[in-house]
C-alpha cells in the first residue's frame, strides 16, 4: 500500500555562515547564524524557503544548532538570530516588548536574499514563540507560516500578570537572563556575582520580594532592572501593556493571515494564551489555524510527565518531526499529515491506571490519557455547568436555597502565604516547580514548613463533590464566580481545581492532584484599567478565569475546589493595604468571608463533556 504522505528527506549537508548582520530600521544590527543546504562542500544552487527563529538564549547553543541543521538538511535555509541586545546582536535588551519591528525587519530582509524563494516561516517556543506573534502583528509580506509554541497572546492577561497579580517567575527569570547579559559576559566578576545570586541565593532573594530598585546586583544592569520594576509596578492594563510585544491580541485585526500552529500544554505558563490566540485568530482569518494542547510543563513536549504525574508513552511528541510536516505542507505544498488534521488536537488526561508506576525510577502516578481530534475550541456541545460552594463544604450542582447570608471565613496573613505546589509555571523551575503534584507539603518546595496536606491550613477553604458515580470529563475554559468580602481595602483570592484520588495501596492517604488554578486582585474586579478599592466587609462578585484543561475525573474520585488568598511564590503577595503595587512596604492581616447563599451563590463553571 502506498504511503499517502510525503515529506522532505535528508538530501543535503549543511554549511553555516556565522554572525551575518541584518540592519534594523533604527540602524541597530542583529546577528544571525544562517544554515544553508549544501552539496559537495558548497551551498546548494537555487532558492530555498527560509525558516527563522529569533532567540534571546544564544543562537549558537547546541539545541539551536541541532534544530537548524535538521531543517537545512531537508531543504530549508534556516536562520537563528540573537534578539536585540543579546549575545552577538547590537542594541539594548528590554524583554519581549520591542520584538515586533525587529522581527518584521528580519523577515522582510530574509525574503529578498538571493538564496531565498521569498517564503519565510517562523518557529520557536516561549520567548521565541511570543516574538513570532509580535512580528506578525505588523504583517510582513514575506511571512508565509508560523509554528508558535507556548507563546503569548497578551502578557497582561495570563502570563506576566494574572488577573492583576504579578507572576513572580519573571523576577527569577531576570536573574537567569542577567547571567548572560552583555555586561556580565564582559565582566567575569559581575557574572560571578549574578551567578551566585541565581544559583545559591535565589530562595532568600525570593523571600524578600518584591524587588527594590537599586538594592540588588541588578542595579548594574539598568535595562534588566528597569524591566523587572516596570512589570511589578504597572498594575493597570494601560499603554505600557498595550505595546505590540506584550498585547498581540490588541492588534489581531492587523495580524498576518497565514497558516499557524499553536502548540501548548495544560501545565504550561502560557496555557491561557495559546488557546486564546487560536480562538481569536481562527474567528477572523481565512488561513488554517491549528491548536495542539498536551499535558506538558513549559516546553517539555518530548517528556511524558508533569511534576509527580505521568501521562503515558503516547503523551510526548517529536517537535522537529511535527514542525517539518507543518512546513512541508504549508511552505512546500507537500501532502503531509497536516492535510488531514482537524483544527484542534488535544490530550485528555486521566484515563490511566491511577496506580504508582513502579517501572518509573521516580514512581510517578500513572494518570494517563489519550489524544483526540476536535473541530474547534471550545469543544462544540460543551455543557457549561455551575458547581456551587455550599456551607457544609460540599461542591454541588444544586443551587443554594438559603435565604440568609451563609458564609465561611478565614484569616489571610501576607507574612504567611500559602506555598505554591505546582501549576502552570516556567522560567523559575528551581524555585517555583511546575506540574502536577499531590497537594501536601514537602521540603523541596519553598514556603513549606511541614508535610501535611496543604488544605489543613487555616487559610484554605475546601469544597468538594461526593465520590463521583461515573467518569466525569472536564474539557475547556473554567470560570470562577466568587462572592467574597474582606476587612481590607484590597486583597487577593485564589481558586484551585483538584482531582482527588481515593486511598489505595499505592497512596494510602489518596492523591490530591492539582489540575488548574488562578488568582484575582480585588482592586481589578471591575476593570483592568481603573482599579477600585473595596469597602470593608462588603460582598463583591469576583469573576476570573482559571487555566483551561482537559481531564477525566474517574468514578470514585472527587472534584475539589480550594479557595484562599495567596499562592506564593508563584504570585506576588497582596499586602492588603491598598497601597501602590510593588512599592508598598506595610502589610495588614485580612479577614476574608466567602459567601454561598441564594443571594450570593459562589460557584465555579466547569465545561463538562458527555461521554
Amino acid at each position: 500500500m502506498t504511503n499517502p504522505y510525503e515529506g522532505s528527506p535528508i538530501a543535503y549537508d549543511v554549511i553555516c555562515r556565522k554572525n551575518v548582520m541584518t540592519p534594523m530600521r533604527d540602524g541597530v544590527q542583529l546577528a544571525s547564524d544562517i544554515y544553508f543546504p549544501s552539496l559537495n562542500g558548497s551551498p546548494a544552487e537555487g532558492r530555498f524557503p527560509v525558516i527563522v527563529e529569533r532567540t534571546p538564549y544564544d543562537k549558537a547553543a547546541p539545541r539551536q544548532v541541532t534544530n537548524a541543521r535538521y531543517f537545512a538538511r531537508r531543504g530549508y535555509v534556516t536562520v537563528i538570530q540573537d534578539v536585540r541586545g543579546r549575545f552577538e546582536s547590537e542594541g539594548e535588551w528590554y524583554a519581549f516588548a520591542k520584538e515586533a519591528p525587529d522581527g518584521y525587519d528580519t523577515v522582510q530582509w530574509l525574503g529578498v536574499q538571493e538564496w531565498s524563494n521569498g517564503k519565510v516561516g517562523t518557529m520557536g517556543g516561549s520567548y521565541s514563540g511570543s516574538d513570532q506573534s509580535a512580528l506578525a502583528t505588523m504583517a510582513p509580506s514575506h511571512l508565509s507560516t508560523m509554528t508558535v509554541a507556548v507563546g503569548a497572546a497578551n502578557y497582561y492577561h495570563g502570563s506576566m500578570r494574572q488577573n492583576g497579580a504579578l507572576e513572580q517567575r519573571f523576577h527569577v527569570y531576570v536573574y537567569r537572563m542577567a547571567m548572560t547579559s552583555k555586561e556580565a559576559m564582559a565582566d567575569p566578576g559581575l557574572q560571578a556575582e549574578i551567578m551566585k545570586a541565581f544559583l545559591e541565593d535565589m530562595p532568600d532573594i525570593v523571600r524578600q520580594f518584591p524587588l527594590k530598585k537599586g538594592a540588588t546586583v541588578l542595579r548594574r544592569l539598568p535595562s534588566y532592572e528597569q524591566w523587572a520594576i516596570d512589570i511589578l509596578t504597572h498594575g493597570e492594563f494601560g499603554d505600557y501593556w498595550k505595546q505590540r510585544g506584550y498585547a498581540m491580541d490588541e492588534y489581531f485585526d492587523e495580524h498576518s493571515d497565514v497558516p499557524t500552529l499553536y502548540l501548548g500544554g495544560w501545565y504550561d505558563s502560557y496555557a491561557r494564551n495559546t488557546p486564546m490566540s487560536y480562538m481569536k485568530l481562527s474567528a477572523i482569518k481565512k488561513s488554517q489555524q491549528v491548536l495542539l494542547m498536551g499535558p506538558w510543563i513549559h516546553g517539555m513536549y518530548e517528556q511524558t510527565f508533569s511534576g509527580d504525574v505521568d501521562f503515558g508513552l503516547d503523551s510526548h511528541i517529536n517537535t522537529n518531526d511535527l514542525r517539518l510536516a507543518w512546513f512541508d505542507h504549508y511552505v512546500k505544498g507537500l501532502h503531509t499529515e497536516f492535510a488531514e488534521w482537524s483544527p484542534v488536537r488535544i490530550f485528555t488526561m486521566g484515563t490511566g491506571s491511577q496506580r504508582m508506576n513502579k517501572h518509573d525510577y521516580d514512581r510517578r502516578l500513572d494518570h494517563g490519557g489519550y489524544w483526540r481530534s476536535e473541530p474547534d475550541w471550545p469543544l462544540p456541545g460543551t455543557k457549561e455547568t455551575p458547581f456551587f460552594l455550599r456551607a457544609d463544604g460540599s461542591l454541588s450542582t444544586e443551587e443554594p436555597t438559603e435565604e440568609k447570608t451563609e458564609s465561611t471565613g478565614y484569616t489571610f496573613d501576607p507574612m504567611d502565604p500559602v506555598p505554591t505546589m505546582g501549576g502552570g509555571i516556567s522560567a523559575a523551575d528551581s524555585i517555583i516547580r511546575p506540574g502536577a503534584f499531590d497537594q501536601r507539603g514537602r521540603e523541596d518546595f519553598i514556603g513549606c514548613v511541614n508535610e501535611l496536606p496543604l488544605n489543613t491550613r487555616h487559610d484554605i477553604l475546601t469544597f468538594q463533590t461526593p465520590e463521583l458515580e461515573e467518569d466525569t470529563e472536564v474539557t475547556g475554559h473554567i470560570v470562577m464566580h466568587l462572592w467574597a468580602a474582606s476587612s481590607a481595602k484590597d486583597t487577593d483570592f485564589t481558586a484551585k481545581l483538584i482531582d482527588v484520588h481515593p486511598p489505595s495501596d499505592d497512596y494510602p492517604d489518596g492523591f490530591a492532584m492539582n489540575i488548574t488554578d488562578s488568582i484575582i486582585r480585588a482592586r481589578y474586579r471591575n476593570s483592568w484599567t481603573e482599579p477600585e478599592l473595596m469597602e470593608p466587609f462588603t460582598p463583591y462578585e469576583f469573576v476570573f478565569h482559571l487555566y483551561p484543561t482537559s481531564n477525566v475525573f474517574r468514578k470514585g474520585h472527587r472534584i475539589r475546589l480550594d479557595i484562599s488568598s495567596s499562592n506564593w511564590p508563584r504570585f506576588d503577595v497582596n499586602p492588603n493595604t491598598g497601597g501602590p503595587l510593588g512599592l508598598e512596604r506595610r502589610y495588614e492581616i485580612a479577614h476574608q468571608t466567602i459567601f454561598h447563599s441564594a443571594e450570593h451563590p459562589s460557584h465555579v463553571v466547569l465545561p463538562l463533556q458527555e461521554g
Side-chain angles (χ1 to χ4, degrees):
M1 185 176 186
T2 303
N3 188 332
Y5 297 136
E6 10 172 30
S8 295
I10 296 176
Y12 301 94
D13 200 351
V14 183
I15 287 178
C16 179
R17 294 179 185 168
K18 294 185 177 295
N19 293 321
V20 177
M21 304 306 287
T22 301
M24 300 293 104
R25 62 190 64 190
D26 62 354
V28 168
Q29 297 198 79
L30 304 188
S32 300
D33 290 347
I34 305 180
Y35 295 78
F36 295 92
S38 72
L39 295 170
N40 302 317
S42 299
E45 294 184 1
R47 295 175 179 268
F48 294 88
V50 180
I51 299 172
V52 60
E53 178 169 347
R54 306 184 60 253
T55 178
Y57 305 124
D58 189 4
K59 59 181 171 53
R63 179 176 61 85
Q64 301 288 9
V65 174
T66 298
N67 292 342
R69 291 181 59 84
Y70 176 94
F71 290 104
R73 296 186 72 193
R74 291 162 173 82
Y76 294 89
V77 174
T78 310
V79 180
I80 312 296
Q81 183 183 78
D82 290 330
V83 301
R84 178 181 293 247
R86 296 289 293 171
F87 294 94
E88 302 301 323
S89 286
E90 299 174 355
E92 182 179 80
W93 185 67
Y94 186 94
F96 301 95
K98 313 297 182 182
E99 298 300 346
D102 285 354
Y104 174 95
D105 291 349
T106 297
V107 168
Q108 294 299 82
W109 184 85
L110 293 172
V112 298
Q113 299 308 300
E114 60 183 3
W115 31 260
S116 169
N117 71 358
K119 295 182 178 181
V120 180
T122 61
M123 68 177 182
S126 194
Y127 196 115
S128 299
S130 299
D131 64 23
Q132 294 177 66
S133 294
L135 72 87
T137 67
M138 299 184 71
S141 59
H142 288 286
L143 181 65
S144 297
T145 189
M146 303 193 298
T147 56
V148 178
V150 294
N154 190 302
Y155 270 105
Y156 181 88
H157 295 297
S159 188
M160 289 187 199
R161 300 196 77 88
Q162 182 89 215
N163 301 319
L166 175 71
E167 296 209 14
Q168 292 191 132
R169 61 193 176 92
F170 283 105
H171 277 184
V172 178
Y173 173 81
V174 72
Y175 281 88
R176 170 187 161 194
M177 299 302 284
M179 287 192 296
T180 52
S181 64
K182 286 181 175 293
E183 294 89 338
M185 300 288 274
D187 184 342
L190 173 60
Q191 188 174 51
E193 186 178 355
I194 299 170
M195 290 180 68
K196 180 179 183 300
F198 183 73
L199 299 175
E200 299 178 24
D201 301 335
M202 190 52 62
D204 291 330
I205 292 172
V206 168
R207 291 185 183 98
Q208 297 303 317
F209 279 171
L211 284 175
K212 293 172 62 177
K213 189 169 185 177
T216 73
V217 67
L218 295 177
R219 66 184 179 278
R220 298 177 64 183
L221 297 88
S223 67
Y224 287 65
E225 183 185 56
Q226 189 59 53
W227 172 69
I229 297 299
D230 284 345
I231 64 171
L232 171 66
T233 55
H234 284 83
E236 286 77 59
F237 185 57
D239 290 343
Y240 177 81
W241 290 108
K242 292 180 180 180
Q243 300 176 82
R244 285 182 186 268
Y246 284 159
M248 299 77 160
D249 61 351
E250 293 284 305
Y251 307 92
F252 274 173
D253 287 343
E254 305 167 32
H255 190 286
S256 297
D257 194 347
V258 297
T260 305
L261 171 64
Y262 290 100
L263 173 62
W266 302 128
Y267 288 97
D268 189 272
S269 52
Y270 294 91
R272 282 185 68 188
N273 278 259
T274 301
M276 185 189 304
S277 293
Y278 165 80
M279 290 167 58
K280 291 187 175 182
L281 287 166
S282 63
I284 63 175
K285 304 300 180 184
K286 296 179 180 178
S287 56
Q288 182 68 60
Q289 309 293 306
V290 171
L291 174 65
L292 174 61
M293 293 292 289
W296 313 296
I297 60 174
H298 189 63
M300 304 302 288
Y301 324 111
E302 300 180 20
Q303 181 173 285
T304 68
F305 61 89
S306 297
D308 279 349
V309 176
D310 193 84
F311 300 100
L313 293 177
D314 289 340
S315 64
H316 75 91
I317 60 172
N318 184 305
T319 47
N320 274 344
D321 285 353
L322 182 82
R323 295 188 295 192
L324 179 66
W326 181 271
F327 289 127
D328 278 352
H329 183 60
Y330 288 107
V331 177
K332 291 186 176 180
L334 301 179
H335 187 85
T336 72
E337 62 185 280
F338 281 103
E340 275 84 40
W341 265 48
S342 62
V344 173
R345 187 163 173 78
I346 61 173
F347 188 90
T348 297
M349 306 178 290
T351 57
S353 70
Q354 312 303 314
R355 301 293 302 274
M356 183 183 292
N357 187 348
K358 296 187 171 76
H359 299 290
D360 173 15
Y361 177 80
D362 292 302
R363 301 167 73 84
R364 294 183 173 90
L365 170 70
D366 174 28
H367 195 59
Y370 67 98
W371 288 103
R372 61 202 274 193
S373 297
E374 297 289 348
D376 203 1
W377 181 270
L379 306 190
T382 296
K383 185 178 180 182
E384 304 288 354
T385 305
F387 282 71
F388 294 91
L389 285 59
R390 304 302 296 269
D392 61 359
S394 64
L395 190 64
S396 173
T397 55
E398 296 184 8
E399 296 187 39
T401 58
E402 294 86 354
E403 294 289 337
K404 62 180 181 178
T405 304
E406 293 282 353
S407 64
T408 308
Y410 64 93
T411 297
F412 164 40
D413 182 354
M415 302 302 289
D416 181 27
V418 175
T420 297
M421 297 295 300
I425 304 159
S426 69
D429 293 10
S430 61
I431 302 298
I432 317 172
R433 297 181 60 186
F437 294 92
D438 191 6
Q439 295 297 291
R440 62 174 57 243
R442 43 192 286 180
E443 63 181 10
D444 54 340
F445 278 70
I446 189 170
C448 289
V449 296
N450 56 49
E451 297 183 357
L452 295 174
L454 205 60
N455 68 337
T456 61
R457 289 178 58 108
H458 66 87
D459 53 357
I460 297 177
L461 302 184
T462 288
F463 303 87
Q464 63 182 355
T465 66
E467 291 185 359
L468 298 172
E469 297 181 357
E470 59 184 6
D471 290 356
T472 302
E473 182 188 331
V474 174
T475 296
H477 295 273
I478 297 167
V479 184
M480 188 72 221
H481 294 255
L482 186 69
W483 280 95
S486 176
S487 62
K489 297 177 181 177
D490 186 37
T491 193
D492 290 347
F493 292 103
T494 65
K496 181 184 296 183
L497 190 69
I498 296 168
D499 185 347
V500 180
H501 298 58
S504 65
D505 291 342
D506 292 333
Y507 302 98
D509 294 328
F511 192 102
M513 174 184 167
N514 56 302
I515 299 298
T516 181
D517 60 24
S518 194
I519 190 170
I520 189 167
R521 187 140 292 169
R523 68 176 68 185
Y524 299 117
R525 65 195 179 278
N526 294 324
S527 171
W528 306 121
T529 59
E530 299 179 4
E532 300 175 38
L533 298 180
M534 299 185 295
E535 290 292 332
F537 305 108
T538 300
Y540 297 98
E541 185 180 22
F542 299 89
V543 181
F544 57 103
H545 283 258
L546 283 66
Y547 277 15
T549 193
S550 183
N551 185 69
V552 176
F553 293 79
R554 301 291 292 275
K555 178 181 178 181
H557 290 211
R558 297 173 187 263
I559 301 174
R560 183 173 116 193
L561 185 72
D562 282 358
I563 301 295
S564 191
S565 289
S566 54
N567 183 346
W568 177 89
R570 181 180 177 189
F571 300 109
D572 65 330
V573 176
N574 197 318
N576 296 332
T577 64
L581 296 181
L583 302 175
E584 178 64 274
R585 302 299 177 219
R586 301 168 301 158
Y587 291 86
E588 294 180 4
I589 289 176
H591 302 291
Q592 319 287 55
T593 303
I594 305 300
F595 297 96
H596 27 69
S597 65
E599 183 181 6
H600 300 119
S602 293
H603 61 279
V604 61
V605 179
L606 300 184
L608 300 187
Q609 307 297 325
E610 294 186 1

